[in-house]
Amino acid sequence: MIQSPATPAAPALPLDTALATGPDSAPAGSAPSVAHGPGAEPTRVLARFEGWARNTPQAPAVIDGPRIWTYQDLDAAAALVAADLADRVRPGDLVGVCLDRSTALVVTAVALARLGAVYLPLGPRPGERRIQAVTEDLDVACLIGDPDLLPEEHRGGQHLPLPLPTEGVNAPAVAVAAVADSVHGTRRAPEGALYAVLTSGSTGRPKAVAVAESSLSVALDWYRSETGLAPGDRQSLLIGVAFDPHLLELWAALTSGAALVPAPDDTRWDSRVLTDWWRDTALTHAVAATPTVEPLLDRPWPQDLKLRHLVVGGDRMRRRPGADVTATVHNAYGPAEATVVTTTHTMRGTDPEAGDPTPPPIGTALPGVTLVVTDEEGRPVARGQEGELRVGGHCLALGYLDPELTARRFTAPAPDAELPAVERLYRTGDRVRMNTDGSLDFLGRLDDQVKISGVRIEPAEVEAAFEQDPRVRAAVVTVLRDSSGHGRLVAHVRPTDGADPAPGDLLDAVRSWLPEQAVPAAVRIVEGFPLDANGKVDRPALAAQAQAPQSPLAAASGDPVEAAAGAGTGTGTGTDAVAAVTAAERLVLTTVRDLLGRPDTGLGDHFTDAGGTSVVAARLLATVERETGVRLRAPELLRSTDLRAFAALLDQRLTARPEGA
């Protein structure tokens, strides 16, 4: 058993696909489900950036709208920030970064690496209670961000102004390093950590996993080799800052001599805005979440893009790109505990399988990665059999900042597994099948953990957030999936005696505890929970009760739709009981209800208050365009006072269209 999160990664593996032999669980003569990626040697991340800054000082490092920051500019800006932080931040200190995708974020990442501090990305608007839980558990030296957007304890604490860029895409109005003396945890990052990220925790509190520079370097070396990222290329900075893939984007560009391009916020709400941004910025390389890219594969691929490589991950890909897709698409898989990317499957428009409507595999092992598909005892199963994926090699994180949790999840291989070069394996909890060529098919989760919009969520964490509310006796979270497999969370809440909380009030309360993707799309107030034969909560029965009864297709065809009185968010206008009158109202209302799994959503509800997220917005806009031919933008949806106002805008566009258009 691994007793410390500082246990080193396994040594480099040979450049082959040698297999372990003969576990008891494999039939005689069959190959076991063990595969090794090519050999890999760790390199230095910060040193590669500094080499480009010395050798190509005038090359663009960040293209932020009209402003171009050269490698020399970025290096100098990071040096100033590091100098200002030097008296407050020591090597090995955790520093919470509350910035969005921006030049300021890039400068901060370089400055912290230069100080030897541990970069802990929290996103630009971290939930008040979530940050309180983090700082109570972890020894966080300070938070860096806009003081007006920081949690209350840090808004009123000590502030050190920082010379970070305050102009450009998603830039902070002002930036400080904030210290709150009243909140101080004890857990520090293990020695050698470059960054730490939060993952969902079953205890109701987020857990932090720490990753070494050497592990990230192996992933970056693969990315550069696989995609050819080089000087003159442009790399997206698109993934949300609270999630670890943004580190792949950020450091891939800075270690390649390429330029980073921060993405405006509306690119994550509208897939057409995303492709317009790719075109307008002449991006050559991009990383994106699977739910964001899927709508693009359902329509003709834009043929005027310079995009050569697109890495897609975070959720199961449900179809292969078509023959018209001009970019090479990499279907990537990897938990944060295995440093962003563990396996990939590469697809091109010229492939014989292009356009196949079946899910592609999640691919083969990256350099330095060992894959093992095991039974419950940790022994490799035969290829073609299902089992739990365990991962080893250079990709492994140092561990969680909780040593006991590290010991449970990062374990030694089974004695009879015959993996002499592998010292430890991370138990992913994912159910997979290894094919004869060593590639993996993703089959689902083995535990209660789910993925929503590409983010791993522990339902227990969401339930615990609701149960912090004194009006809530108990909460159970289930997942509803639509016909395409997209999931949304529904919270079933049993109030305390005498309490009558509004669902919208409960949702507002948990937003301070949870990241956006973990906030349920709906809250159902229940008197009790159905039980199964073992006396446990019957989650499938609860999910069936919450299932939306009607599809947007029926509504678009003219079937009458009644909006429920007193829509579930508690933010309705009071006119929700009025029937949807126009075709646009019917289409918008039933589409939102279906996407959110909330049959009680009313026209008087605002989209985000009803549980709408960036991924849901993209699907709503795509449905509206497919059914009506009218293209509306995400800002028009978000600025609308409620769904009725958004439907009225759609009606206006339909009326304004010339006959036959």
Side-chain angles (χ1 to χ4, degrees):
M1 298 287 286
I2 304 302
Q3 298 300 322
S4 168
T7 301
L13 299 169
L15 182 58
D16 59 25
T17 54
L19 302 175
T21 59
D24 295 339
S25 57
S30 65
S33 294
V34 180
H36 302 303
E41 288 292 340
T43 56
R44 300 298 302 275
V45 173
L46 180 63
R48 287 188 68 95
F49 160 74
E50 292 176 333
W52 289 111
R54 286 192 304 272
N55 298 327
T56 59
Q58 298 308 313
V62 181
I63 300 175
D64 190 353
R67 172 71 191 271
I68 295 178
W69 291 72
T70 66
Y71 272 81
Q72 184 179 61
D73 295 335
L74 184 59
D75 184 63
L80 290 175
V81 173
D84 284 354
L85 288 172
D87 292 337
R88 189 178 298 267
V89 175
R90 299 165 299 170
D93 279 352
L94 285 161
V95 176
V97 179
C98 304
L99 298 168
D100 209 341
R101 300 153 298 182
S102 61
T103 304
L105 178 77
V106 181
V107 171
T108 299
V110 175
L112 294 180
R114 187 162 284 165
L115 288 170
V118 182
Y119 173 94
L120 176 64
L122 301 172
R125 295 177 180 270
E128 193 96 24
R129 292 178 177 176
R130 183 175 175 83
I131 294 304
Q132 183 178 9
V134 169
T135 53
E136 285 174 353
D137 292 343
L138 308 182
D139 184 7
V140 178
C142 62
L143 299 184
I144 294 178
D146 185 329
D148 291 339
L149 303 180
L150 294 178
E152 184 176 355
E153 284 96 347
H154 290 82
R155 286 198 297 270
Q158 305 173 39
H159 288 176
L160 171 67
L162 295 176
L164 287 171
T166 55
E167 296 181 353
V169 173
N170 303 319
V174 64
V176 301
V179 178
D181 294 331
S182 59
V183 181
H184 191 70
T186 58
R187 289 177 180 157
R188 293 180 56 81
E191 185 177 354
L194 175 68
Y195 71 87
V197 292
L198 301 182
T199 64
S200 188
S202 59
T203 63
R205 300 174 80 89
K207 55 192 180 185
V209 60
V211 176
E213 180 182 25
S214 59
S215 296
L216 180 62
S217 76
V218 172
L220 296 174
D221 290 346
W222 162 81
Y223 188 93
R224 288 191 300 269
S225 174
E226 182 71 17
T227 69
L229 184 65
D233 287 331
R234 298 185 177 192
Q235 167 69 53
S236 67
L237 184 57
L238 172 66
I239 301 296
V241 173
F243 309 114
D244 58 321
H246 86 276
L247 285 151
L248 183 70
E249 297 182 283
L250 190 154
W251 286 109
L254 298 186
T255 58
S256 303
L260 269 172
V261 186
D265 191 60
D266 59 354
T267 56
R268 69 189 184 103
W269 292 86
D270 188 330
S271 57
R272 287 197 181 273
V273 173
L274 176 63
T275 53
D276 288 346
W277 176 68
W278 287 348
R279 178 187 303 107
D280 295 343
T281 57
L283 276 184
T284 58
H285 295 68
V287 177
T290 307
T292 304
V293 172
E294 282 184 327
L296 301 177
L297 303 180
D298 292 331
R299 54 177 182 257
W301 186 261
Q303 295 300 298
D304 54 352
L305 300 178
K306 293 188 177 181
L307 192 69
R308 302 199 308 271
H309 289 272
L310 173 60
V311 177
V312 180
D315 206 344
R316 187 179 187 185
M317 202 171 196
R318 292 168 176 83
R319 55 159 294 181
R320 295 171 184 263
D324 62 337
V325 176
T326 53
T328 298
V329 179
H330 307 267
N331 186 31
Y333 162 87
E337 292 85 349
T339 315
V340 189
V341 184
T342 307
T343 67
T344 59
H345 177 71
T346 300
M347 296 170 285
R348 299 176 177 84
T350 54
D351 294 342
E353 305 87 356
D356 192 320
T358 59
I362 57 174
T364 54
L366 264 63
V369 173
T370 290
L371 307 174
V372 188
V373 184
T374 74
D375 60 18
E376 292 181 357
E377 285 72 40
R379 296 173 301 183
V381 300
R383 295 203 178 190
Q385 293 184 358
E386 299 179 8
E388 179 183 9
L389 175 62
R390 303 190 188 211
V391 179
H394 283 304
C395 64
L396 286 195
L398 294 169
Y400 299 105
L401 271 61
D402 179 349
E404 293 183 2
L405 181 59
T406 300
R408 290 198 300 271
R409 301 294 293 184
F410 293 81
T411 63
D416 55 354
E418 299 190 23
L419 295 169
V422 178
E423 297 178 3
R424 60 184 184 139
L425 295 170
Y426 169 66
R427 299 188 60 179
T428 67
D430 288 328
R431 185 166 56 91
V432 300
R433 177 176 53 239
M434 184 175 288
N435 302 308
T436 56
D437 63 354
S439 66
L440 296 176
D441 293 326
F442 181 82
L443 304 175
R445 290 288 300 175
L446 292 168
D447 55 21
D448 291 334
Q449 195 177 78
V450 297
K451 276 197 173 182
I452 302 295
S453 300
V455 178
R456 288 188 295 161
I457 303 295
E458 291 273 8
E461 179 179 14
V462 184
E463 292 163 358
F466 278 96
E467 291 167 0
Q468 296 284 341
D469 195 308
R471 297 168 295 178
V472 175
R473 171 175 290 180
V476 176
V477 172
T478 62
V479 180
L480 296 185
R481 297 196 181 276
D482 59 23
S483 58
S484 62
H486 298 298
R488 63 262 187 183
L489 297 177
V490 176
H492 311 262
V493 172
R494 182 183 178 189
T496 55
D497 292 340
D500 186 23
D505 292 343
L506 295 176
L507 281 173
D508 289 342
V510 300
R511 285 192 175 98
S512 65
W513 282 102
L514 302 170
E516 176 192 3
Q517 288 81 356
V519 177
V523 172
R524 298 180 67 246
I525 305 298
V526 298
E527 295 181 358
F529 305 120
L531 304 179
D532 61 19
N534 296 319
K536 297 181 179 180
V537 174
D538 190 338
R539 292 175 184 267
L542 273 177
Q545 294 172 11
Q547 188 66 50
Q550 191 173 21
S551 70
L553 181 60
S557 66
D559 292 343
V561 179
E562 293 289 334
T569 63
T571 58
T573 62
T575 60
D576 293 338
V578 179
V581 175
T582 71
E585 288 178 348
R586 287 193 292 270
L587 176 62
V588 168
L589 183 58
T590 53
T591 302
V592 171
R593 285 178 174 179
D594 184 65
L595 291 173
L596 296 179
R598 295 195 56 185
D600 59 348
T601 302
L603 289 169
D605 287 317
H606 186 272
F607 174 74
T608 54
D609 290 338
T613 65
S614 57
V615 172
V616 174
R619 293 175 186 151
L620 171 60
L621 296 170
T623 299
V624 167
E625 183 175 5
R626 183 178 65 249
E627 297 291 340
T628 67
V630 174
R631 181 186 177 190
L632 296 171
R633 298 284 189 138
E636 294 174 310
L637 170 62
L638 301 178
R639 286 196 300 263
S640 298
T641 55
D642 52 29
L643 295 176
R644 180 176 285 106
F646 179 66
L649 178 63
L650 175 57
D651 269 328
Q652 291 173 10
R653 300 286 173 84
L654 286 168
T655 303
R657 295 176 72 194
E659 183 118 11

